[in-house]
Amino acid sequence: MPETSPRGTYLIIAEALRSEIRAKQSDDAMPSEAALMDSHGVSRNTIRRALKVLEADGLVESAPGIGWRVVRDGDRRSLAERMTDLIEEDALSVGDPYPSEANLCEQFGASRTAVRRVLAQMEGNGLLATVHGKGRTVRALPASTARP
């Protein structure tokens, strides 16, 4: 990278990879982490952070023994959008229990880390409340947003 970014280099790389993924509709294989390190001139940790951003958005997934691959079929919404929309889809009301981490991981095929990151975001946005030992409950209903 020629200059330091105030946004975070990994976010810029994530956006570049996102654009490449959308431009290539046929290839499901991602370059290796080493190849991405060379092409972007950054460390492995920076590449991994960028890939985790894309994983949380549901664009790529880690395939043991293979590396990273593009998720082509299925829902194109980000994990955050799908988990937020779950409140409306399951007709949950304020005070209702929200599904457990294990259930969310299974339902969305996401890692526990990605699910926890989105849950923390939802708590920060005031949608969920956590009572330790009891789980999470719906604290507020999400604002309706029109999607194209």
Side-chain angles (χ1 to χ4, degrees), residues 22-41:
R22 289 186 177 142
K24 288 188 208 175
Q25 293 299 321
S26 61
D27 190 15
D28 288 341
M30 291 287 295
S32 67
E33 289 180 2
L36 291 171
M37 288 167 48
D38 289 340
S39 67
H40 292 281

Side-chain angles (χ1 to χ4, degrees), residues 83 87 96 98 118-120 122-130 136-140:
M83 286 175 58
I87 295 172
D96 287 349
Y98 193 76
V118 173
L119 288 170
M122 291 174 72
E123 288 174 11
N125 291 338
L127 294 176
L128 299 178
T130 301
R136 290 178 178 84
T137 59
V138 177
R139 184 173 173 196

Side-chain angles (χ1 to χ4, degrees), residues 65-138:
I66 298 170
W68 292 88
R69 65 179 173 210
V70 177
V71 177
R72 288 285 178 208
D73 53 351
D75 200 340
R76 299 295 289 173
R77 295 176 296 165
S78 72
L79 180 60
E81 290 174 320
R82 291 184 288 161
M83 286 175 58
T84 301
D85 290 347
L86 185 64
I87 295 172
E88 184 177 324
E89 292 166 3
D90 287 356
L92 299 176
S93 301
V94 174
D96 287 349
Y98 193 76
S100 68
E101 288 178 6
N103 288 344
L104 293 167
C105 290
E106 184 178 331
Q107 180 174 349
F108 296 116
S111 69
R112 190 170 290 261
T113 302
V115 167
R116 284 181 177 166
R117 187 177 301 130
V118 173
L119 288 170
Q121 180 183 0
M122 291 174 72
E123 288 174 11
N125 291 338
L127 294 176
L128 299 178
T130 301
V131 178
H132 294 286
K134 303 270 185 190
R136 290 178 178 84
T137 59
V138 177

